[in-house]
Amino acid sequence: MEAAVRPGCPRGTGGTGGAGDCGCSGHPGRAPRPPNPQCPCRRSRPRPRGTARPRTGRAAAALVLTGLLAAACGPSGERGPVPDPSPDDRNAAPDEVPGSGDLLSVPARALAARAERLRRAPAARPAVARRWGLRSAPLSPPPPPVVKPVLTTPEALRRGPHRPADGLPHVITRVPIDDRVIFLTIDDGADKDPRLLRMVRELNVPVSAFLTHSLAREDYGYFRRLRDLGAGMQNHTLTHPYLPALPYEKQRREICAQQDNLERETGVRPTMFRPPFGGYDRATLRAAASCGIEVVPLWSQEVFPGRTEYRRGALDGRFHPGDIVLTHFRGPAHWKGDMRDVLRRVLDQATEEGFAVALLEDYVGGS
């Protein structure tokens, strides 16, 4: 008996299963086959009403982040209690945002994971804070500004004229904002304590890492894990020299080569650069600008396990809105303490003075 032929399929290609079969679906007793591009019955099917096109890239990242931040900022009564994370949960890989998959870029996945942890965190924060020895739970930062603040370089930080036409990055020690937030930045990359990663993860502490290649290169995987927790990855030169002692071309290599290293190792090309020892001249700023650097953040305070040093005009022993706080990836080999002591010191003082720690990249760079 001749096989039934679906209308629109030419006889000899419409469902006999032979080499010329065009694969039209709907034949009785046969599973649909992949469509043949040459098949004349191949039609575009209308999308069912209410079905959206799949979104990718920035659009997907924006949707994920918007939804998670909206959930995090909603009334607490709309969510059930969040259980204290188990040890297995605390030591697991960073949270994946459901449905994000490979649609998001590396930075977007890190931001989405941080937003998801923030959404889940409120009920667990007091218990987590006690577990890490904090006096009270850290305050949560406000949502990032829609428009980043306009930066200017203070007169004391300029090295000659600082005209817009020169294209030089702005040098700052504080972000010009009224929000009661400070920014925690960590330099170099010598000590790679896994307990710091757990503390950042469990307390959802935003940090920005300014990495020196000669110190970070032995384990960039550590910093990729920190990046996946939402941390910023920024530039602190190849070998940590005092840059004003070098000619322009050597300064440029120290900055630009580390740009390439960080893009290769972390998937992020920095827009911020911190000169070692806080030392720079006009050649440093020119070199940084040629490598794509937009901002040179110095610092207002430097924190150690047992003390805080106040610099560049912040001499009243308190935090101020927009302060940039410096510490280093160091441990007992350098200090009488470790990075956990530094974080406790920063978070306890910030909370006591009514400040939250925010992510520097949310406010500056990346324009």
Side-chain angles (χ1 to χ4, degrees):
M1 179 180 293
E2 183 178 355
V5 178
R6 180 177 171 181
C9 286
R11 188 171 298 274
T13 63
T16 64
D21 191 353
C22 72
C24 296
S25 60
H27 297 280
R30 293 185 56 225
R33 299 182 57 187
N36 184 331
Q38 303 302 320
C39 178
C41 67
R42 201 166 162 264
R43 305 179 182 89
S44 60
R45 297 184 179 179
R47 183 176 290 106
R49 185 179 298 275
T51 302
R53 293 182 181 273
R55 299 175 183 267
T56 59
R58 291 187 178 180
L63 288 176
V64 171
L65 288 171
T66 300
L68 292 177
L69 289 173
C73 297
S76 59
E78 296 177 3
R79 298 191 301 271
V82 179
D84 194 16
S86 68
D88 288 341
D89 290 338
R90 293 196 302 270
N91 295 324
D95 294 326
E96 290 292 338
V97 179
S100 63
D102 293 332
L103 295 178
L104 306 186
S105 64
V106 167
R109 284 201 304 272
L111 289 173
R114 184 161 61 93
E116 175 69 4
R117 289 195 305 278
L118 184 64
R119 182 184 69 81
R120 298 177 183 177
R125 284 173 75 85
V128 174
R130 288 192 299 271
R131 188 159 59 245
W132 285 105
L134 299 180
R135 292 194 289 265
S136 58
L139 301 176
S140 296
V146 176
V147 178
K148 294 183 178 182
V150 176
L151 303 180
T152 58
T153 301
E155 186 67 35
L157 300 179
R158 297 180 182 182
R159 300 294 184 263
H162 207 99
R163 301 177 296 264
D166 296 332
L168 299 180
H170 287 293
V171 185
I172 60 172
T173 60
R174 178 179 297 131
V175 180
I177 54 174
D178 295 325
D179 292 346
R180 291 187 70 79
V181 298
I182 60 172
F183 305 100
L184 180 59
T185 63
I186 313 178
D187 278 11
D188 298 348
D191 193 83
K192 303 167 185 66
D193 189 344
R195 296 171 298 182
L196 172 63
L197 299 181
R198 292 197 296 271
M199 193 172 186
V200 167
R201 173 186 168 83
E202 294 182 28
L203 292 169
N204 200 39
V205 182
V207 300
S208 300
F210 286 77
L211 299 179
T212 299
H213 181 65
S214 60
L215 296 171
R217 65 184 176 186
E218 66 185 32
D219 187 7
Y220 267 111
Y222 178 88
F223 300 104
R224 286 192 290 270
R225 293 191 289 276
L226 186 61
R227 172 210 63 195
D228 289 344
L229 296 174
M233 298 286 117
Q234 304 297 342
N235 190 329
H236 198 44
T237 71
L238 284 175
T239 64
H240 207 273
Y242 180 67
L243 290 171
L246 301 179
Y248 171 81
E249 286 302 330
K250 288 188 176 180
Q251 291 198 45
R252 188 176 186 279
R253 181 177 182 278
E254 284 284 338
I255 302 169
C256 294
Q258 181 61 345
Q259 291 283 91
D260 296 337
N261 289 334
L262 290 170
E263 185 172 26
R264 181 184 66 251
E265 296 290 347
T266 71
V268 178
R269 190 165 186 86
T271 58
M272 287 186 273
F273 159 72
R274 175 173 287 154
F277 315 105
Y280 62 99
D281 57 14
R282 191 169 180 82
T284 310
L285 300 181
R286 288 174 46 230
S290 75
C291 305
I293 296 298
E294 300 174 7
V295 184
V296 175
L298 302 181
W299 61 92
S300 298
Q301 297 90 5
E302 183 173 0
V303 182
F304 303 86
R307 72 185 191 280
T308 301
E309 293 183 358
Y310 295 84
R311 299 181 177 182
R312 303 183 188 278
L315 300 177
D316 59 359
R318 299 182 64 83
F319 289 135
H320 302 87
D323 275 356
I324 299 171
V325 180
L326 165 67
T327 190
H328 292 80
F329 288 101
R330 294 180 183 169
H334 309 90
W335 289 334
K336 292 181 179 179
D338 55 42
M339 290 299 303
R340 296 171 299 170
D341 301 309
V342 171
L343 257 65
R344 274 192 286 268
R345 186 174 188 86
V346 171
L347 294 173
D348 277 341
Q349 180 181 344
T351 304
E352 182 178 310
E353 295 180 7
F355 285 88
V357 177
L359 186 67
L360 183 60
E361 286 79 356
D362 285 344
Y363 286 76
V364 301
S367 62

